[in-house]
């Protein structure tokens, strides 16, 4: 679902390859019809091949369990899908079939189920249709039956009704495919957590067991020394190459110090090795350090490499923000970028909320070539080095974070707005002016009351419906903040 590379200033940043979304597909109809209406099965199988080809065109791995005509066929299809470890199972209701043919698939496949009924065209030609031709258009007929049985059996489901040339229906289906991609990514993801909690940030504290139990992910607890040994092994030629890449990707402010730049480049190469060695899909980090010792210098040198990794599909978040690095990964996988963000100020004159963060940023969603700025201090923490400065692409955006309730349940929290142009701080932070169509203070109150922490992901596009689908497949509550 994402672009293969990001081009900035003529430099191509190749995205890191992720596991393909695994979609199980089974189509079916009532076998009693086949001898009664010659040609009907051929027409329905043709329609099923259209759906299969459409899924394959979305760069999915399609596990085709075939066309089922009776409960025995359905049982065999269910077993094939069970072994395939699918991220989503799509059941194509091509014509009427009994619910007994569908329930075993949903029960045994151990994956979320999407029911679709996509008739061949927009409408029947009533004057020329006989019963056989009509039956190719009645895939919606069994939907209430199957839905009723699923509800009574405690099987969650979702459905899309339409026709094979229905753009709206295909867009809805694609939304579920993107959500399945997120589910699959999280089920197989490895999240790095390096350093320690920023002292006093109780909202950031994350129970690692809950990440595994609610998302299926693995959290790899790392030492700063895991990075230190890899940075020490970086050779001069590799530093030179990374500095050159930085010059192509970023516009440099006059404040960039050559020594800090080269150190950031060296840390960047070491970070790449860390990600490769531990097979990480995300990284959250923080280390305070004392007196300018090496570990503190490593923390201060992270931003360049972390931003480059984020742009390539490996989100990196500062301040030990594991839940936000997860949100950034989800946003990236639905093609929305996702940059590390917090509140900065409210502008009541212009009616906007100013938000952003120092540290790693998602270069792919910058409004222009990002700026690299040299800093003498990071607010609230010791440090120095280079930092990234830009505003997110102007237009539709979605704030998106993962909240947590008192019982430990994670929640998907979103709010849609618009990034608008205007004056920005020039202090080495990402900063965006977001108009939520209401008083900035009222939005801030509502957003804060949702259960969000003080960090989140800023994603491009209005993505509430996409993220609602993600929450559905993950079995998490969904909160859309609207004032």
């Amino acid at each position: 679902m994402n672009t293969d590379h990001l081009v900035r200033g003529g430099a191509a940043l190749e995205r890191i390859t992720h596991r393909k979304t695994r979609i199980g597909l089974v189509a079916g109809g009532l076998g009693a019809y086949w001898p009664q209406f010659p040609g009907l099965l051929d027409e329905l199988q043709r329609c099923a091949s259209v759906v299969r080809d459409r899924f394959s065109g979305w760069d999915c791995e399609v596990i085709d369990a075939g066309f089922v005509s009776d409960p025995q066929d359905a049982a065999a299809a269910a077993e094939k899908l069970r072994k395939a470890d699918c991220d989503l199972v799509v059941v194509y209701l091509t014509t009427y079939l009994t619910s007994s043919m569908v329930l075993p698939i949903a029960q045994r496949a151990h994956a979320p189920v999407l029911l679709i009924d996509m008739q061949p065209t927009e409408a029947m030609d009533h004057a020329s249709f006989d019963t056989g031709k009509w039956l190719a258009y009645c895939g919606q007929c069994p939907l209430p039956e199957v839905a009723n049985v699923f509800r009574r059996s405690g099987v969650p489901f979702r459905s899309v009704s339409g026709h094979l040339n229905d753009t709206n229906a295909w867009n809805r289906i694609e939304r579920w495919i993107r959500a399945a991609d997120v589910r699959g990514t999280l089920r197989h993801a490895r999240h790095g957590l390096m350093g320690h909690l920023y002292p006093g940030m109780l909202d950031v504290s994350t129970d690692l067991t809950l990440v595994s139990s609610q998302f299926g992910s693995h959290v790899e607890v790392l030492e700063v020394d895991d990075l230190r040994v890899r940075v020490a092994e970086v050779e001069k030629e590799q530093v030179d190459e990374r500095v050159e890449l930085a010059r192509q990707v970023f516009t440099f402010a006059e404040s960039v110090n050559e020594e800090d730049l080269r150190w950031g480049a060296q840390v960047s190469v070491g970070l790449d090795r860390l990600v490769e060695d531990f097979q990480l899909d995300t990284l959250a980090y923080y280390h305070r350090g004392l007196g300018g010792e090496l570990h503190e210098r490593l923390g201060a040198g992270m931003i360049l490499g972390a931003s480059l990794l984020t742009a390539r599909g490996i989100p990196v978040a500062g301040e030990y923000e594991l839940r936000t690095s997860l949100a950034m990964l989800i946003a990236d996988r639905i093609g929305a970028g996702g940059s590390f963000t917090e509140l900065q100020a409210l502008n009541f004159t212009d009616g906007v909320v100013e938000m952003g963060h120092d540290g790693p940023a998602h270069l792919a969603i910058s409004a222009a070539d990002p700026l690299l700025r040299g800093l003498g201090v990071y607010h609230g923490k010791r440090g120095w080095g280079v930092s990234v400065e830009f505003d997110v692409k102007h237009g539709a955006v979605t704030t998106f974070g993962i909240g947590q309730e008192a019982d430990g349940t994670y929640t998907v929290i979103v709010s849609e707005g618009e990034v608008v142009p205007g004056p920005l701080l020039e202090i080495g932070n990402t900063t965006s002016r977001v108009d939520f169509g209401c008083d900035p203070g009222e939005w801030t109150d509502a957003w804060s009351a949702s259960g969000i922490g003080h960090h989140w992901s800023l994603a491009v596009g209005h993505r509430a419906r996409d993220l609602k689908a993600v929450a559905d497949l993950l079995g998490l509550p969904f909160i859309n903040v609207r004032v």
Side-chain angles (χ1 to χ4, degrees):
M1 300 299 168
N2 298 304
T3 56
D4 292 330
H5 64 276
L6 162 71
V7 176
R8 280 279 179 258
L13 301 179
E14 296 296 329
R15 288 183 58 85
I16 295 171
T17 302
H18 291 275
R19 170 185 176 275
K20 282 190 175 184
T21 315
R22 192 170 295 171
I23 303 298
L25 175 63
V26 57
L30 189 63
Y33 295 152
W34 314 151
Q36 292 180 312
F37 305 102
L40 175 60
L41 177 59
D42 290 341
E43 170 65 8
L44 299 180
Q45 290 177 327
R46 181 195 68 79
C47 293
S49 69
V50 171
V51 173
R52 181 185 62 246
D53 292 345
R54 188 71 174 253
F55 286 175
S56 298
W58 285 332
D59 197 30
C60 299
E61 179 183 352
V62 180
I63 294 87
D64 190 350
F67 197 100
V68 302
S69 300
D70 53 42
Q72 292 87 345
D73 287 348
E79 180 64 12
K80 181 175 181 178
L81 296 175
R82 182 188 68 80
K83 294 178 179 178
D85 186 33
C86 298
D87 302 313
L88 179 71
V89 169
V90 180
V91 179
Y92 180 14
L93 309 176
T94 64
T95 187
Y96 178 77
L97 46 65
T98 63
S99 51
S100 66
M101 296 168 58
V102 180
L103 183 60
I105 295 171
Q107 290 175 320
R108 300 174 193 174
H110 301 298
V113 177
L114 171 65
L115 303 172
I116 66 172
D117 55 278
M118 304 286 282
Q119 63 189 40
T121 65
E122 291 179 274
M124 294 184 291
D125 181 357
H126 297 80
S128 65
F129 269 39
D130 57 16
T131 302
K133 290 182 178 180
W134 156 62
L135 285 172
Y137 280 73
C138 74
Q140 69 287 146
C141 178
L143 181 61
E145 175 183 339
V146 173
N148 174 276
V149 171
F150 277 15
R151 286 177 65 93
R152 291 165 62 187
S153 303
V155 176
F157 73 97
R158 55 291 305 161
S159 65
V160 173
S161 300
H163 61 88
L164 291 179
N165 297 310
D166 185 347
T167 299
N168 178 55
W170 283 117
N171 287 341
R172 290 158 60 203
I173 292 171
E174 187 177 11
R175 182 174 297 125
W176 289 114
I177 300 297
R178 285 196 297 266
D181 182 36
V182 170
R183 177 179 181 269
T185 296
L186 290 176
R187 285 196 306 131
H188 295 86
R190 292 173 55 83
H191 308 293
L193 191 59
M194 184 176 70
H196 62 82
L197 184 72
Y198 189 107
M201 286 186 181
L202 301 183
D203 65 318
V204 170
S205 179
T206 300
D207 186 327
L208 305 190
T209 302
L210 293 179
V211 174
S212 296
S213 64
Q214 295 192 42
F215 295 121
S217 300
H218 170 77
V219 179
E220 186 73 16
V221 177
L222 302 169
E223 302 282 354
V224 178
D225 290 313
D226 289 315
L227 177 61
R228 174 183 59 80
V229 297
R230 288 165 175 82
V231 170
E233 294 171 350
V234 176
E235 298 177 354
K236 178 181 179 300
E237 292 76 13
Q238 295 172 306
V239 175
D240 292 341
E241 292 174 0
R242 191 55 53 95
V243 167
E244 180 57 30
L245 176 63
R247 293 189 184 281
Q248 295 176 24
V249 172
F250 295 93
T251 298
F252 278 34
E254 293 182 359
S255 57
V256 173
N257 177 283
E258 183 69 17
E259 181 181 351
D260 287 343
L261 173 62
R262 292 190 64 81
W263 176 243
Q266 184 174 344
V267 174
S268 175
V269 176
L271 269 176
D272 286 359
R273 290 181 178 177
L274 183 79
V275 166
E276 182 178 356
D277 290 347
F278 287 97
Q279 299 179 334
L280 301 180
D281 296 284
T282 71
L283 176 65
Y285 73 94
Y286 176 73
H287 183 78
R288 182 177 58 185
L290 293 169
E293 46 83 34
L294 180 56
H295 292 83
E296 184 176 3
R297 293 188 65 229
L298 285 167
M302 289 276 289
I303 294 175
L304 173 62
S307 297
L308 292 173
L309 277 171
T310 301
R312 297 172 60 207
I314 305 292
V316 181
E319 297 184 7
Y320 215 60
E321 251 292 16
L322 176 57
R323 293 203 309 278
T324 299
S325 64
L326 288 167
M328 291 165 66
L329 177 64
I330 292 170
D332 185 83
R333 293 302 287 168
I334 65 172
S339 202
F340 191 40
T341 305
E342 67 182 2
L343 290 173
Q344 292 179 328
L346 304 182
N347 187 326
F348 291 94
T349 301
D350 296 341
V352 298
V353 179
E354 298 182 24
M355 59 178 67
H357 209 284
D358 64 304
H362 200 310
L363 307 179
I365 62 173
S366 172
D369 283 356
L371 180 75
L372 204 64
R373 184 181 294 279
L375 295 181
V377 64
Y378 300 129
H379 73 275
K381 15 186 192 307
R382 287 175 47 83
W384 52 90
V386 293
S387 189
V388 175
E389 181 178 301
F390 69 72
D391 64 330
V392 168
K393 292 177 181 177
H394 298 172
V397 291
T398 303
T399 57
F400 158 49
I402 297 174
Q404 188 169 22
E405 298 299 319
D407 64 359
T409 301
Y410 290 137
T411 55
V412 173
I413 304 172
V414 306
S415 188
E416 294 180 335
E418 306 280 335
V419 171
V420 296
L424 303 171
L425 290 173
E426 298 180 357
I427 59 172
N429 285 16
T430 61
T431 304
S432 297
R433 295 158 46 90
V434 187
D435 183 351
F436 290 99
C438 62
D439 178 86
E442 292 186 28
W443 180 87
T444 300
D445 292 338
W447 181 244
S448 301
S450 69
I452 195 72
H454 82 280
H455 298 127
W456 52 87
S457 170
L458 184 60
V460 294
H462 283 163
R463 302 289 183 166
R465 288 189 293 180
D466 292 333
L467 292 165
K468 184 177 182 180
V470 168
D472 183 284
L473 293 196
L474 294 175
L476 300 180
F478 175 78
I479 300 170
N480 189 353
V481 175
R482 289 175 284 197
V483 179

